[in-house]
């Protein structure tokens, strides 16, 4: 599964290229609880086709009904209509009707018939891995594009709205195996582009998951080639220090938001010891190294372990601080004390 924003923008571009009337909807503000964050986008064609999401479903249904009904009855929005800001869920009754819990309110920007050429440029830049800002002039709908230097939250004022679209989140897995296949599957469904590195041919032959880039380089070289950035994570799964350790050391020198390795508490401590003794690391330089990885859910099987690891990666990605009791090492330590 690719980045949802890119998929929405590419589909919208294709509709507009084909001459279809279409609507681009952006979540501008939320109050109270909202199923989708600010900056989320959805595209809607005049025939009722839809891609993306701005809520849990009810607002989409209302927008589809209103937009496709208007076109079906010859009530098309005039060409050149400027963007419009609309609110859903202002009253408790409306919030209940549109599925917004706790009296939530959602404000949306509706852009009618976005320019196909501008969308084409934006999609092309995103497909090249660039981080892009798209600024809409509210009075006219005119669009400016600019390359961004860092991810940013949506910004809106009385005259314009700026939304930042970034390349896909990426995951580099070190080691092919059953756990890697489950974790890669979950990562792809979560919008990550996945690269698998394993120089061992006998392990790669069993790999069956499509849509994953395969690297046969030594893991430390693969990390350098991968060029981890702030939208990247590196996960070592081989249990082989010759493969895992050098890859992890390279990853720790990068901006990757998550660097970790599978293994027991004893193996994690041994890994840290090796790195300090043989690679001039310190406790401070290894503070970003995660291990044992995952959250504690009592996982035993490869799919359960993959769920545990993916949950922790997503929590870190989304800047959610997990309770310490959910750390694998701490939870098992507490269990061990209780049993002694």
């Amino acid at each position: 599964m690719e980045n949802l924003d890119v998929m929405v923008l590419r589909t919208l571009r294709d509709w507009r290229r084909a001459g279809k009337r279409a609507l681009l909807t952006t979540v501008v503000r939320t109050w109270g609880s909202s199923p989708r964050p600010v900056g989320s986008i959805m595209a809607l064609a005049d025939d009722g086709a839809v891609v993306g999401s701005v809520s849990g479903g009810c607002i989409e249904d209302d927008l589809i009904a209103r937009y496709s009904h208007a076109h079906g009855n010859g009530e098309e929005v005039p060409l050149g209509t400027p963007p419009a800001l609309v609110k859903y869920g202002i009253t408790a009754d409306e919030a209940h009707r549109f599925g917004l819990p706790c009296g939530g309110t959602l404000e949306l920007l509706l852009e009618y018939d976005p320019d196909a050429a501008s969308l084409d440029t934006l999609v092309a830049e995103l497909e090249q891995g660039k981080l892009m800002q798209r600024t809409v002039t509210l009075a006219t709908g005119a669009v400016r594009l600019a390359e961004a230097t860092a991810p940013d939250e949506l910004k809106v004022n009385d005259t314009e709205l700026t939304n930042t679209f970034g390349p896909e989140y990426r995951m580099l897995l070190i080691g092919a195996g059953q756990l890697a296949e489950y974790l890669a599957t979950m990562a792809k469904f979560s919008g990550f582009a996945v690269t698998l590195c394993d120089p061992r041919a006998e392990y790669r032959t069993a790999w069956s998951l499509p849509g994953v880039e395969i690297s046969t380089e030594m893991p430390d070289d693969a990390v350098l080639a991968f060029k981890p950035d702030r939208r990247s994570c590196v996960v070592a799964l081989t249990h082989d220090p010759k493969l895992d350790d050098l890859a992890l050391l390279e990853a720790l020198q990068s901006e990757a938001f998550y660097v970790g390795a599978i293994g027991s508490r004893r193996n994690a401590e041994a890994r840290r010891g090796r790195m300090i003794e043989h690679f001039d690391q310190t406790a401070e330089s290894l503070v970003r190294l995660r291990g044992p990885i995952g959250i504690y859910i009592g996982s035993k099987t490869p799919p359960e372990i993959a769920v545990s690891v993916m949950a922790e990666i997503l929590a870190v990605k989304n800047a959610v601080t997990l309770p310490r009791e959910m750390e694998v090492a701490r939870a098992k330590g507490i269990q061990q004390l209780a049993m002694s």
Side-chain angles (χ1 to χ4, degrees):
M1 178 178 290
E2 66 180 331
N3 180 281
L4 180 59
D5 288 343
V6 177
M7 181 174 67
V8 171
L9 294 168
R10 183 185 295 119
T11 303
L12 177 62
R13 176 205 63 187
D14 292 345
W15 289 340
R16 297 292 295 131
R17 273 180 171 178
K20 288 186 177 182
R21 304 288 303 276
L23 179 71
L24 176 62
T25 305
T26 304
V27 177
V28 175
R29 297 184 182 92
T30 63
W31 295 267
S33 299
S34 174
R36 297 286 289 144
V38 167
S40 300
I41 59 174
M42 180 188 83
L44 173 64
D46 54 11
D47 59 6
V50 64
V51 60
S53 175
V54 293
S55 79
C58 294
I59 288 176
E60 283 85 346
D61 291 345
D62 185 72
L63 286 169
I64 292 168
R66 289 204 291 173
Y67 190 71
S68 60
H69 174 79
H71 284 271
N73 287 277
E75 303 170 5
E76 289 87 355
V77 176
L79 290 171
T81 298
L85 289 166
V86 298
K87 287 183 180 179
Y88 282 90
I90 296 173
T91 67
D93 286 345
E94 286 177 327
H96 178 73
R97 174 190 169 199
F98 293 114
L100 295 172
C102 306
T105 299
L106 198 62
E107 186 172 19
L108 307 174
L109 179 70
L110 308 184
E111 294 179 61
Y112 303 99
D113 305 312
D115 177 62
S118 176
L119 289 168
D120 201 20
T121 300
L122 176 59
V123 170
E125 295 295 305
L126 292 172
E127 289 177 339
Q128 292 297 314
K130 294 183 180 179
L131 191 67
M132 298 294 295
Q133 283 186 338
R134 180 177 185 270
T135 300
V136 182
T137 302
L138 300 181
T140 64
V143 172
R144 300 193 313 274
L145 300 177
E147 188 171 354
T149 57
D152 202 359
E153 300 294 329
L154 179 143
K155 290 183 171 59
V156 63
N157 56 33
D158 293 338
T159 61
E160 61 184 26
L161 175 145
T162 299
N163 204 1
T164 302
F165 298 100
E168 295 171 307
Y169 277 88
R170 298 184 298 143
M171 175 182 289
L172 174 61
L173 296 175
I174 308 299
Q178 194 175 30
L179 175 57
E181 197 158 330
Y182 283 117
L183 186 54
T185 300
M186 293 177 189
K188 284 169 59 64
F189 276 108
S190 299
F192 285 71
V194 180
T195 298
L196 172 78
C197 169
D198 202 321
R200 305 167 299 179
E202 64 274 18
Y203 282 83
R204 296 196 310 272
T205 55
W207 185 265
S208 61
L209 184 66
V212 173
E213 185 175 341
I214 305 296
S215 169
T216 62
E217 296 179 288
M218 289 301 293
D220 52 332
D221 292 329
V223 173
L224 289 172
F226 186 72
K227 298 179 181 178
D229 55 22
R230 281 177 287 181
R231 298 169 76 89
S232 306
C233 60
V234 179
V235 189
L237 302 172
T238 72
H239 293 282
D240 184 343
K242 298 189 300 297
L243 299 176
D244 287 346
D245 287 7
L246 293 178
L248 294 168
L249 287 168
E250 288 293 350
L252 288 170
Q253 302 304 310
S254 74
E255 293 186 320
F257 72 85
Y258 182 101
V259 179
I262 199 73
S264 65
R265 289 172 290 165
R266 181 179 299 175
N267 287 342
E269 287 304 314
R271 180 184 302 112
R272 291 174 181 275
R274 287 193 303 272
M275 291 181 172
I276 290 172
E277 181 178 357
H278 300 294
F279 296 102
D280 299 323
Q281 297 298 303
T282 65
E284 291 74 22
S285 67
L286 297 176
V287 70
R288 293 177 55 229
L289 177 60
R290 293 177 177 269
I293 54 175
I295 63 173
Y296 185 72
I297 57 173
S299 51
K300 302 291 184 184
T301 64
E304 289 180 348
I305 295 169
V307 169
S308 165
V309 174
M310 195 69 221
E312 183 182 50
I313 290 171
L314 291 175
V316 176
K317 166 186 171 289
N318 295 331
V320 173
T321 302
L322 296 170
R324 289 201 63 198
E325 290 73 15
M326 298 187 74
E327 296 175 4
V328 171
R330 183 174 178 82
K332 288 188 174 181
I334 292 172
Q335 281 188 342
Q336 191 173 15
L337 286 174
M339 294 172 62
S340 60

